[in-house]
Each structure stands twice: as structure tokens, then as C-alpha cells.
Amino acid sequence: MEDVGTGIMSEPRLKSVLCSSPAGLHRMAYKEWGDPANTNVLVCVHGVTRVADDFDALARALSDRYRVVCPDVAGRGRSDRLADPALYVVPQYVADMVTLVARVTAGDEGVHWFGTSMGGLIGIALASLQGTPIRRLVLNDIGPVLDPAAMARIGEYIGQDIRFGSYEEGAAYVRAVSASFGPHSDAEWDKLARDVLVPRPGGGWMRHYDLALAQPFRALTPERVARDEQALWAAYDAIRCPTLLVRGEQSDLLSRATAEEMTRRGPKPRLVEVAGVGHAPTFVQPAQIALAREFLTG
């Protein structure tokens, strides 16, 4: 994918990197903001059904200090769909991100990491590894606790083949299912919808991801969820870099009890709650962007 756009600070460049899985090769698309020669790199990774475009406002605001790299995780947005849906899991995503980090950095300068929901789980896994490139970590409304009922509900939701007769119908759906993001202007809701809706061949609109993302969720058992949660806590406890934990005050995915436990373990992060928001803060509004800037650049 060729670069597009000529502005260094204000417009992103669209790129891709070739990644490997047991099922073959796939391309992961990413947006790059800021001076391409800047060695201070911030990687921003989205939630399970979202895309790189979620970070446009944050990336634009921080591109004065960073080269901001925002990937579409495999199976979403502009990235390839995986040949084997069973590979839509965190270990594969971590492998892809290692390839991405190797592409966008040189030497051992490392990166800063901002992960929302699934992007935070990927960050936990990568930050726990010996020799990790992550130097600062923001976990946006996610922790090591996995609820079996919540996992099953996510699998059911993301696997539904929902089709919309018009963009307006799709936008209304996105706004309804994303109500936990908290208050946004009409323009912000429109942006959040346009980022994840694409025209369907033959007419209408659809969500911009592979419906097969649901397969690993549907294969989960309570026993597997318990093992995965234990592994996530072990990974979290191995993290040593400075960490900021952000929780939506009304979040049903990251409980206050879990967040407080996280402050006592692992990297012992600073905990900040965002009032009036559930899962998850979008970081498109100035106050939330300022929170990220203060921690990352401080």
C-alpha cells in the first residue's frame, strides 16, 4: 500500500506490513502520523470491532511529539482477513505487533503503547515479555479479569451478519450499541460510525470487519476462560514499565475492584476514572487527550 498524503504533522500516511501466521502471510494496514524521521514512536491499538481511525484525534494531537502508528488489527478495517479464524487471538496479534514495531523502529529505542480494550490485552502480553519494546503503557478500560458470560456475549454480538439499508441506519445502530462510550457530539458520533461502516457490494452498508472474529469467542469454555485469566494476571504481574490505567466510571468490563487490585500489582499503575463513561473512553475529546499527553510525555 503506497503512502498517501503529504502533510507531516496534520495528515496520516497509509502503510502496511507483511506479517506471518501458521496459515500463511497477511498484510496489516496502519496509519502513521507525524514526522516520519521521529524516533519517538507511539503505537495505538483499538478494541475488538474497531479500527485504526479511532485514534485520529489523539494521533493528530500527539503528532507534535511522536510518530504515531495506528494499526488495523488483522481481520479489521484495511487489513487482510486471516485464512484460519482460530488465529484471531492475542498470541497472533502480539506476533503481528512485534513485526510492526520492528518496521517502525530502528535499534532499541522502544515505543510507547496506548491500548483500548483488546489493544490493552495485546499491550499487557507484549509488555510482559523479556526484552519488550514497550517503555510506557496506557491500558484503556481493560484488565486481566475475563468474565465467561461477557466473552460469550461478545462472541454472539460480533458474529451477527447485520446489514443496513442506508448509512443512516448503520450509524444509528453504531450509536446505540456504543452508548457506553459516553456523551459525544453528533459530529463525533458520525465519525465513530463512518470509521466502522463500509458499503456492501450490491448495495447497503455493513460493519468493517471479518464476522469470523467471533469463532474463538464461541469456542471458549469456562475452564479455558479461567486459564486465560490466570495467564493474563501472570503477564500483568511481569510488567515493569510505567503504566497508566484508565477506567470508565460506569464500565462493566473493568470493575472498580479489578482496577484497584491492578494498582497493587505488577506495574502498580496510576488509576484514573473518566466520569460519565462506561466501556470505553474514546479519547477523542480534549480532556481525555490531555490525560494521555500528560502521562505519555511526562
Side-chain angles (χ1 to χ4, degrees):
M1 186 183 302
E2 296 297 325
D3 292 10
V4 298
T6 57
I8 289 179
M9 300 300 291
S10 62
E11 296 300 326
R13 299 169 294 279
L14 299 181
K15 300 183 175 183
S16 69
V17 61
L18 188 63
C19 302
S20 175
S21 83
L25 301 178
H26 58 278
R27 289 197 172 273
M28 182 168 67
Y30 64 95
K31 300 176 80 169
E32 183 183 76
W33 299 75
D35 184 348
N38 190 350
T39 59
N40 296 317
V41 177
L42 171 64
V43 178
C44 299
V45 185
H46 57 77
V48 66
T49 62
R50 299 295 306 181
V51 291
D53 302 45
D54 280 7
F55 296 107
D56 286 354
L58 181 65
R60 184 175 287 109
L62 296 183
S63 63
D64 62 331
R65 295 290 298 272
Y66 290 99
R67 180 158 44 101
V68 188
V69 174
C70 308
D72 283 331
V73 179
R76 290 88 169 167
R78 306 170 186 88
S79 291
D80 287 347
R81 279 45 180 156
L82 296 181
D84 181 0
L87 295 171
Y88 286 130
V89 288
V90 168
Q92 179 61 53
Y93 301 149
V94 170
D96 290 355
M97 296 305 163
V98 169
T99 301
L100 175 66
V101 170
R103 164 66 65 85
V104 301
T105 64
D108 60 356
E109 65 269 16
V111 300
H112 290 181
W113 187 280
F114 186 108
T116 294
S117 196
M118 178 190 72
L121 292 180
I122 300 169
I124 289 173
L126 183 54
S128 73
L129 299 177
Q130 185 174 2
T132 179
I134 297 180
R135 302 292 185 259
R136 277 182 178 261
L137 175 64
V138 178
L139 299 176
N140 184 17
D141 210 62
I142 194 66
V145 172
L146 304 175
D147 179 78
M151 294 297 100
R153 184 173 65 251
I154 291 171
E156 179 63 25
Y157 154 70
I158 66 178
Q160 293 176 352
D161 187 9
I162 302 175
R163 307 178 186 194
F164 310 105
S166 66
Y167 167 76
E168 290 72 21
E169 181 185 342
Y173 172 85
V174 171
R175 185 166 182 163
V177 300
S178 307
S180 62
F181 290 176
H184 288 76
S185 68
D186 287 344
E188 288 167 343
W189 279 120
D190 182 67
K191 171 69 164 58
L192 288 164
R194 289 190 183 278
D195 289 345
V196 294
L197 294 173
V198 291
R200 286 184 63 244
W205 293 74
M206 62 183 184
R207 294 173 293 176
H208 202 189
Y209 64 83
D210 185 357
L211 295 178
L213 296 178
Q215 181 172 309
F217 286 92
R218 291 172 175 167
L220 288 173
T221 64
E223 294 76 20
R224 175 60 186 272
V225 171
R227 290 197 301 271
D228 288 350
E229 182 176 314
Q230 185 177 23
L232 277 170
W233 272 117
Y236 179 79
D237 286 339
I239 296 172
R240 294 293 178 265
C241 66
T243 301
L244 174 67
L245 177 61
V246 179
R247 177 178 182 266
E249 181 187 38
Q250 301 166 5
S251 177
D252 62 352
L253 192 65
L254 177 62
S255 71
R256 186 141 196 17
T258 297
E260 290 177 345
E261 177 69 10
M262 291 171 71
T263 66
R264 297 187 286 268
R265 298 175 59 169
K268 298 181 179 178
R270 174 190 172 200
L271 170 63
V272 175
E273 288 193 325
V274 180
V277 177
H279 182 76
T282 58
F283 281 80
V284 302
Q285 297 164 346
Q288 293 178 21
I289 291 173
L291 177 66
R293 174 183 284 276
E294 177 189 11
F295 171 75
L296 289 168
T297 64

